[in-house]
Amino acid sequence: MTSTTRSPRSPLGVLLAGAASGAAGTTVLNAVTYGDMAVRGRAPSAVPEQTATALAERLGRPVAGRGAERAHRTSALGALSGYAAGVGVGKLVGLGRAAGLRMPAGLGGVVTGALAMAATDLPAHALGVTDLRTWGTQDWVSDALPHLAYGVVTHATLRALDPVPGRARTPIVDLPSLDRPAAGRRSPSRASAGLVLRSALLGVAAGGRSSLGLAGPALLSAGTRALPGGAPAAALSGLALGGELIADKLPGTPSRLGASGLPPRLLTGAVGAAALARRERSRTLLPALAGLAGAAAGSYAGAAWRAWAGERVPDVDAALVEDVAAALLTLVAALPHRRG
């Protein structure tokens, strides 16, 4: 009998898993922050770049340049410091988990989010950039919600990547390994033309509404394990979709073709297509590429539609038409199909 027990992960593997989990959490943190900015129309926080600038000065390496050049550097340093904090906390939590510090999903998400919040707020307070004692309720809520989202996603990703003694756990997305049969497991079949086409359609839908790339397979694949997490994953996908449907119709929402809009659409198009292939026990590489290409096409086509229709009808009406089109494409792509 072949054992399914996995050997403990190497120290390098622990750090890589923690870094990947922290990066996933940081992506969600940024998405929640941008969503809050779009909904409330508020300006971005200057605390990260001010903290990075103050730290550089404290270390005797002040930011070089003047005027716009220096402002651009400080803005970049602020963004990079956020990624460094997110990845660093992910590594720290991963090391603690490898050492035996394991918490339930809910508690682990809250603790991880609190650690990330402390990693950014306490240095800013210590450097005199902000005074936490003067923060009001709105300030704490605006800071806590994105970090809570970070904690939930980071901890969930660590759990999904964690080798569990006695049984094998499937990674969230492992395109090469899903195409190679493990010992004792049936080889995935070649992706059919129909699956590739539906993957492209799902990508087009994700180009219109990025949340549909993951929400479609999660909500329409009950019992098929297309995505890990079961009902909680489906619930989070539904909440993300609802938030995007609202934020899309606000006047201050950034362009989907910008740096904060296009990459999530490409990612969810590819990951959602890989989930469809995994659900049908097919190889994932070709469907994922089709989903990526469809997401790029859908993003540019959706932006062109909104620009054209916005000159003829109210933008909300054009957005609702796009909502319906993206939903129909998702239904065609993600509803379970019989296999020949």
Side-chain angles (χ1 to χ4, degrees), residues 15-159:
L15 291 176
L16 289 176
S21 301
T26 303
T27 300
V28 173
L29 183 150
N30 289 336
V32 173
T33 301
Y34 283 124
D36 179 48
M37 290 167 57
V39 170
R40 295 197 290 147
R42 68 172 179 85
S45 173
V47 171
E49 58 191 67
Q50 291 174 355
T51 302
T53 302
L55 180 60
E57 292 175 352
R58 187 70 62 90
L59 295 175
R61 299 294 299 272
V63 179
R66 294 181 179 179
E69 179 182 339
R70 186 175 186 276
H72 295 159
R73 284 201 176 102
T74 58
S75 178
L77 288 174
L80 290 173
S81 68
Y83 282 105
V87 172
V89 171
K91 290 181 180 180
L92 179 63
V93 176
L95 288 172
R97 186 169 179 81
L101 182 59
R102 298 172 180 269
M103 294 173 284
L107 178 61
V110 172
V111 171
T112 303
L115 286 174
M117 194 169 171
T120 54
D121 292 346
L122 293 181
H125 180 83
L127 292 169
V129 173
T130 185
D131 188 347
L132 299 178
R133 296 169 297 182
T134 64
W135 283 21
T137 302
Q138 186 64 54
D139 298 321
W140 284 108
V141 171
S142 298
D143 192 49
L145 287 180
H147 284 97
L148 178 61
Y150 165 90
V152 170
V153 171
T154 299
H155 191 260
T157 305
L158 275 173
R159 285 169 56 90

Side-chain angles (χ1 to χ4, degrees), residues 6-319:
R6 296 186 181 183
S7 59
R9 186 183 281 126
S10 66
L12 178 60
V14 171
L15 291 176
L16 289 176
S21 301
T26 303
T27 300
V28 173
L29 183 150
N30 289 336
V32 173
T33 301
Y34 283 124
D36 179 48
M37 290 167 57
V39 170
R40 295 197 290 147
R42 68 172 179 85
S45 173
V47 171
E49 58 191 67
Q50 291 174 355
T51 302
T53 302
L55 180 60
E57 292 175 352
R58 187 70 62 90
L59 295 175
R61 299 294 299 272
V63 179
R66 294 181 179 179
E69 179 182 339
R70 186 175 186 276
H72 295 159
R73 284 201 176 102
T74 58
S75 178
L77 288 174
L80 290 173
S81 68
Y83 282 105
V87 172
V89 171
K91 290 181 180 180
L92 179 63
V93 176
L95 288 172
R97 186 169 179 81
L101 182 59
R102 298 172 180 269
M103 294 173 284
L107 178 61
V110 172
V111 171
T112 303
L115 286 174
M117 194 169 171
T120 54
D121 292 346
L122 293 181
H125 180 83
L127 292 169
V129 173
T130 185
D131 188 347
L132 299 178
R133 296 169 297 182
T134 64
W135 283 21
T137 302
Q138 186 64 54
D139 298 321
W140 284 108
V141 171
S142 298
D143 192 49
L145 287 180
H147 284 97
L148 178 61
Y150 165 90
V152 170
V153 171
T154 299
H155 191 260
T157 305
L158 275 173
R159 285 169 56 90
L161 295 176
D162 191 24
V164 180
R167 63 186 178 92
R169 184 185 289 271
T170 304
I172 292 179
V173 179
D174 188 359
L175 301 183
S177 67
L178 286 175
D179 285 347
R180 294 194 301 268
R185 190 171 69 184
R186 182 171 65 85
S187 173
S189 61
R190 180 176 299 176
S192 66
L195 174 60
V196 174
L197 176 59
R198 288 188 285 112
S199 298
L201 292 178
L202 181 64
V204 174
R209 300 291 176 267
S210 60
S211 303
L212 284 174
L214 297 180
L219 297 174
L220 300 176
S221 304
T224 62
R225 300 294 293 173
L227 290 173
L236 287 174
S237 298
L239 288 174
L241 176 60
E244 184 178 12
L245 291 176
I246 295 173
D248 174 75
K249 297 164 182 62
L250 298 175
T253 301
S255 169
R256 75 187 70 193
L257 303 180
S260 63
L262 187 58
R265 286 170 164 77
L266 300 179
L267 178 63
T268 58
V271 173
L276 292 182
R278 176 184 174 187
R279 183 182 71 184
E280 299 189 7
R281 296 182 176 85
S282 298
R283 296 176 183 175
T284 58
L285 182 57
L286 192 56
L289 291 176
L292 181 69
S299 297
Y300 282 94
W305 157 255
R306 293 289 286 276
W308 180 85
E311 298 178 353
R312 292 161 176 81
V313 298
D315 187 66
V316 172
D317 294 347

